[in-house]
């Protein structure tokens, strides 16, 4: 995004609990918004999870087919100055703490009975700490397990 984007990209991760695979995107408050009311605290963040289901076959055990299954939004608001709204203020009070405060109080989970094709990847290397994959589009990805879970 540009200099006045409404969110700043933080970390990107993946939560794997086969067959569930969730791509986790962290959004933080941009620096330009720090003095605005209702923008949340410095460490406030919104977590966007793109929920997929992965499957493989006996014939091709390293090829994973993905289907989109849903979307989750949650917030982490570590804002010590909450404007006096407190934890009991409901939706109105959570708005004072910015988007992270709103989604912390009102997480969203959209998941229905239907799934749709989303892509596929091939596992080239896998151990307890690292996974190397090649996407269907020909890109390579190296995923390293973070010992400190952040989502």
């Amino acid at each position: 995004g540009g200099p006045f984007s409404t969110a700043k990209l933080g970390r990107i991760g993946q939560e794997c609990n086969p067959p569930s695979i969730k791509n986790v995107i962290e959004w933080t408050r941009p620096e330009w918004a720090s003095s605005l009311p209702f923008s949340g605290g410095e460490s406030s963040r919104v977590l966007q999870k793109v929920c997929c289901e992965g499957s493989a076959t006996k014939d091709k055990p390293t090829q994973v087919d993905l289907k989109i299954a849903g979307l989750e939004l949650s917030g982490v608001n570590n804002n010590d100055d909450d404007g006096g709204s407190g934890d009991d203020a409901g939706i109105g009070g959570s708005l004072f703490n910015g988007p992270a405060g709103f989604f912390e109080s009102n997480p969203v989970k959209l998941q229905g009975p239907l799934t749709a094709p989303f892509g596929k990847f091939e596992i080239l290397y896998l151990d307890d700490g690292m996974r190397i994959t090649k996407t269907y589009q020909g890109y390579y990805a190296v995923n390293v397990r973070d010992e400190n879970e952040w989502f």
Side-chain angles (χ1 to χ4, degrees), residues 52-137:
C52 300
E53 292 177 0
S55 63
T57 64
K58 289 182 182 180
D59 296 341
K60 296 181 181 179
T62 61
Q63 183 174 310
V64 178
D65 290 311
L66 292 174
K67 292 185 179 181
I68 188 91
L71 172 73
E72 295 178 11
L73 294 169
S74 62
V76 177
N77 186 38
N78 296 328
N79 186 8
D80 292 334
D81 179 21
D82 65 2
S85 62
D87 293 335
D88 303 327
I91 291 175
S94 66
L95 290 174
F96 286 103
N97 292 318
F102 177 80
F103 287 117
E104 184 177 45
S105 298
N106 308 284
V108 174
K109 185 174 183 178
L110 302 173
Q111 195 163 347
L114 302 176
T115 60
F118 191 63
K120 59 178 127 182
F121 62 89
E122 181 180 359
I123 299 172
L124 303 176
Y125 177 82
L126 178 65
D127 67 20
D128 288 339
M130 181 170 48
R131 181 179 67 241
I132 301 174
T133 60
K134 181 179 179 184
T135 68
Y136 186 62
Q137 297 87 358

Side-chain angles (χ1 to χ4, degrees), residues 7-80:
K8 179 181 168 188
L9 180 62
R11 296 171 282 193
I12 298 175
Q14 214 169 51
E15 182 180 299
C16 295
N17 295 307
S20 172
I21 300 172
K22 296 180 181 181
N23 295 309
V24 183
I25 304 163
E26 176 186 59
W27 298 101
T28 62
R29 183 187 69 191
E31 284 86 17
W32 70 264
S34 63
S35 62
L36 294 176
F38 318 120
S39 65
E42 185 177 332
S43 60
S44 297
R45 55 200 176 105
V46 172
L47 298 180
Q48 172 187 349
K49 295 183 180 183
V50 179
C51 306
C52 300
E53 292 177 0
S55 63
T57 64
K58 289 182 182 180
D59 296 341
K60 296 181 181 179
T62 61
Q63 183 174 310
V64 178
D65 290 311
L66 292 174
K67 292 185 179 181
I68 188 91
L71 172 73
E72 295 178 11
L73 294 169
S74 62
V76 177
N77 186 38
N78 296 328
N79 186 8
D80 292 334

